[in-house]
């Protein structure tokens, strides 16, 4: 799939929104900052914007190249290949993390008697089919279903408005700035920094001039949806209740009297999580195809799918371990992939432009 | 029994991709494909047999903890 596939800026925008929402929609980002989670989130949102500027500059330098190709150009054959293998691993790991989130959610909330492997196998099959069909199919599917998330999220926010207790957001910065900054770094790397993966699909956009506007729009819209979710969960449940709950948004929606719509959160997650897994899965297969000078990413869909299926079950022993890993380890583990390597590439690209 | 069925299923899936790989005449792609397939089967076997092999997450956690001095 050597840039034969083409997507519109609307489709890119929808994919970005789905990617940013991803599995963040079933958790409260920055919840370790307790009642200051919304401040941590806002700080991460701004930081995410700065990170994106770095990714965007890199994209502007090489508008027709994916991250894998950029690595090859700037780092040379050997170092570029090593970095590319690490990135492909990172994409597969991210996909398995989201997949496991999905499995744990389904197991905890909707299908407690069903074996985990079966839930995962169904999801890998569906996302694998989408990835095998190509980026355009994934983008069109997202275009069809992602807008519902925005409508429902606003609807739920308005329905719950009478149950908001603003005192749950106080005291502000009671523990000082440090916990907020720690939590905001965690949010910065999950989900905002993960948008580095979009460098794998940006070259497939048919008008490269609209990337900046598209990204800013998606970033603001997805960010607002998440912010609405955080304020809703904090105001309705309070920080202590959130700390005790595995999937707070689900529990928040159960607080609506006479209306049983908690399954909607699951539907949101199936949609946004599915989009995120598809993008990670697609990025990994495109990366492998480019690394092997293959003109088609499709042959790698099945092997990567089998790895994903096994890895998402093997990688964490339980849901608490998974959540703990996502908060404690993931931010530090992501630093090279989201910050160090892109910045290094950007610096090298400036030197290369000056001394071609 | 389940593992045998799983391996047969994987082999059948492998047959789906063979024509594309054969037509591309790309030995590197075929080698990487086979390597990924073997890795995938091994991981599935570890999960199916419930073998006590630490997952990559454990190793990454150790490295990260070492780096931050814990």
């Amino acid at each position: 799939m050597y840039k034969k596939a083409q997507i519109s800026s609307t489709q890119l925008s929808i994919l970005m929104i789905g990617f940013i929402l991803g599995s963040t929609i079933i958790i409260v980002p920055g919840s370790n900052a307790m009642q200051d989670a919304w401040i941590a989130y806002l700080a991460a949102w701004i930081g995410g914007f700065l990170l994106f500027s770095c990714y965007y500059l890199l994209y502007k330098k090489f508008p027709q190249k994916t991250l894998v190709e950029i690595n090859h150009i700037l780092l040379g054959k050997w170092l570029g290949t090593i970095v590319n293998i690490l990135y492909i691993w990172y994409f597969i790991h991210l996909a398995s993390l989201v997949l496991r989130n999905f499995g744990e959610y389904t197991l905890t909330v909707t299908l407690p008697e069903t074996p985990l492997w079966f839930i995962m196998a169904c999801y890998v099959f569906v996302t694998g089919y989408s990835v095998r069909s190509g980026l355009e199919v994934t983008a069109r599917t997202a275009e069809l279903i992602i807008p519902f998330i925005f409508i429902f999220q606003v609807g739920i926010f308005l329905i719950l408005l009478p149950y908001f207790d603003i005192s749950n957001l106080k005291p502000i910065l009671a523990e000082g700035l440090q916990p907020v900054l720690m939590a905001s770094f965690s949010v910065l790397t999950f989900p905002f920094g993960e948008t580095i993966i979009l460098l794998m699909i940006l070259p497939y956009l048919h008008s490269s001039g609209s990337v900046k506007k598209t990204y800013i729009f998606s970033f603001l819209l997805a960010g607002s949806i998440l912010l609405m979710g955080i304020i809703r969960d904090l105001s309705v449940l309070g920080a202590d209740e959130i700390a005790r709950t595995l999937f707070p948004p689900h529990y928040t929606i159960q607080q609506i009297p006479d209306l049983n719509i908690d399954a909607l959160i699951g539907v949101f997650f199936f949609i946004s999580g599915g989009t995120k897994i598809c993008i990670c899965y697609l990025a990994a297969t495109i990366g492998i195809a480019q690394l092997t000078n293959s003109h088609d990413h499709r042959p790698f869909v099945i092997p990567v799918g089998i790895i994903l299926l096994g890895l998402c079950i093997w990688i964490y022993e339980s849901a608490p371990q998974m959540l703990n890993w996502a908060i404690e380890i993931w931010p530090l583990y992501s630093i090279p992939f989201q910050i160090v390597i892109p910045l290094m590439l950007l610096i090298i690209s400036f030197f290369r432009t000056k001394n071609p | 029994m389940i593992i045998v069925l799983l391996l047969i299923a994987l082999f059948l899936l492998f047959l789906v991709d063979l024509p594309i790989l054969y037509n591309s005449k790309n030995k590197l792609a075929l080698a990487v494909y086979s390597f990924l397939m073997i890795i995938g089967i091994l991981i599935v076997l570890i999960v199916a047999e419930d073998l006590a092999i630490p997952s990559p997450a454990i190793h990454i956690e150790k490295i990260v903890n070492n780096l931050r001095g814990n």
Side-chain angles (χ1 to χ4, degrees):
Chain A
M1 122 158 204
Y2 261 74
K3 285 115 187 179
K4 264 188 265 172
Q6 293 280 298
I7 55 167
S8 68
S9 52
T10 313
Q11 288 172 329
L12 177 71
S13 173
I14 296 281
L15 280 176
M16 279 183 179
I17 293 170
F19 183 84
I20 293 172
L21 293 179
S23 46
T24 325
I25 204 143
I26 51 153
I27 56 167
V28 177
S31 59
N32 37 342
M34 300 304 278
Q35 72 279 3
D36 295 323
W38 64 279
I39 304 174
Y41 175 81
L42 281 177
W45 201 7
I46 296 164
F49 200 75
L50 293 176
L51 265 188
F52 167 70
S53 308
C54 166
Y55 306 155
Y56 177 72
L57 284 175
L58 202 55
Y59 166 74
K60 284 301 275 181
K61 291 262 176 199
F62 305 94
Q64 298 300 320
K65 305 286 179 199
T66 63
L67 182 62
V68 166
E69 291 168 317
I70 296 172
N71 283 335
H72 255 288
I73 294 167
L74 294 177
L75 301 176
K77 194 182 171 190
W78 294 105
L79 188 60
T81 304
I82 293 168
V83 172
N84 282 334
I85 291 169
L86 288 174
Y87 265 112
I88 289 166
W89 156 252
Y90 184 68
F91 300 156
I92 293 175
H93 190 178
L94 179 57
S96 67
L97 189 86
V98 182
L99 205 57
R100 182 60 184 262
N101 283 343
F102 169 81
E104 290 294 346
Y105 179 82
T106 313
L107 207 62
T108 313
V109 175
T110 41
L111 302 168
E113 304 277 321
T114 311
L116 184 65
W117 70 265
F118 183 76
I119 299 167
M120 301 299 202
C122 292
Y123 216 50
V124 169
F125 181 77
V126 175
T127 49
Y129 181 77
S130 172
V131 170
R132 202 177 162 89
S133 306
L135 178 61
E136 285 151 323
V137 174
T138 307
R140 265 185 250 137
T141 313
E143 200 176 14
L144 198 67
I145 53 182
I146 294 279
F148 286 105
I149 296 182
F150 182 71
I151 297 166
F152 286 134
Q153 194 80 341
V154 172
I156 289 167
F157 187 84
L158 293 175
I159 292 171
L160 276 169
L161 216 50
Y163 305 96
F164 277 24
D165 182 1
I166 298 300
S167 66
N168 281 338
L169 302 178
K170 293 174 189 168
I172 292 170
L173 297 176
E175 303 288 323
L177 256 178
Q178 204 194 356
V180 176
L181 289 177
M182 299 275 274
S184 78
F185 184 67
S186 173
V187 184
L188 177 69
T189 54
F190 175 68
F192 297 121
E194 288 165 356
T195 51
I196 179 76
I197 207 167
L198 295 170
L199 283 179
M200 290 300 292
I201 59 166
L202 287 181
Y204 297 94
L205 185 71
H206 55 64
S207 57
S208 59
S210 53
V211 169
K212 197 173 171 182
K213 276 184 200 163
T214 306
Y215 191 92
I216 292 172
F217 171 75
S218 324
F219 201 77
L220 289 176
L221 191 60
S224 317
I225 295 173
L226 287 178
L227 183 65
M228 261 186 340
I230 293 170
I231 291 179
R232 177 199 67 201
D233 295 339
L234 273 175
S235 309
V236 174
L237 295 180
D240 292 331
E241 195 65 45
I242 286 174
R244 280 196 292 269
T245 320
L246 205 52
F247 303 112
H250 181 83
Y251 191 54
T252 309
I253 289 180
Q254 283 181 333
Q255 308 304 309
I256 305 173
D258 308 323
L259 202 57
N260 188 8
I261 54 168
D262 49 316
L264 269 181
I265 283 291
V267 176
F268 294 167
F269 180 42
F270 299 163
I271 295 170
S272 59
T275 308
K276 189 166 182 174
I277 295 169
C278 280
I279 292 175
C280 297
Y281 197 165
L282 198 64
T285 51
I286 293 173
I288 296 167
Q290 291 183 334
L291 211 57
T292 56
N293 298 319
S294 194
H295 290 277
D296 197 346
H297 77 290
R298 286 177 302 163
F300 302 103
V301 173
I302 292 174
V304 172
I306 293 166
I307 291 177
L308 272 180
L309 178 60
L311 196 63
C312 67
I313 302 171
W314 183 36
I315 203 151
Y316 307 114
E317 279 172 13
S318 59
Q321 192 204 0
M322 175 190 77
L323 290 175
N324 185 51
W325 211 90
I327 293 169
E328 296 284 328
I329 309 295
W330 182 263
L332 299 169
Y333 164 60
S334 295
I335 291 174
F337 299 103
Q338 297 178 3
I339 301 169
V340 178
I341 298 175
L343 276 177
M344 197 177 70
L345 290 174
L346 193 62
I347 293 166
I348 296 172
S349 74
F350 278 122
F351 281 112
R352 280 278 176 101
T353 320
K354 280 181 184 172
N355 310 303
Chain B
M1 186 63 187
I2 294 168
I3 293 164
V4 174
L5 284 174
L6 190 78
L7 290 176
I8 293 169
L10 290 177
F11 181 70
L12 290 174
L13 287 173
F14 179 72
L15 289 181
V16 175
D17 293 323
L18 266 185
I20 304 175
L21 287 166
Y22 183 75
N23 288 335
S24 73
K25 301 203 185 302
N26 184 341
K27 282 182 184 168
L28 181 64
L30 188 62
V32 170
Y33 179 89
S34 309
F35 174 74
L36 291 173
M37 211 60 168
I38 292 166
I39 294 278
I41 292 169
L42 284 176
I43 295 174
V44 170
L45 277 177
I46 289 170
V47 173
E49 290 286 298
D50 205 12
L51 300 175
I53 298 172
S55 77
I58 306 285
H59 296 295
I60 293 166
E61 195 173 339
K62 272 184 192 165
I63 294 168
V64 170
N65 283 336
N66 279 340
L67 286 176
R68 65 177 179 188
N70 286 352

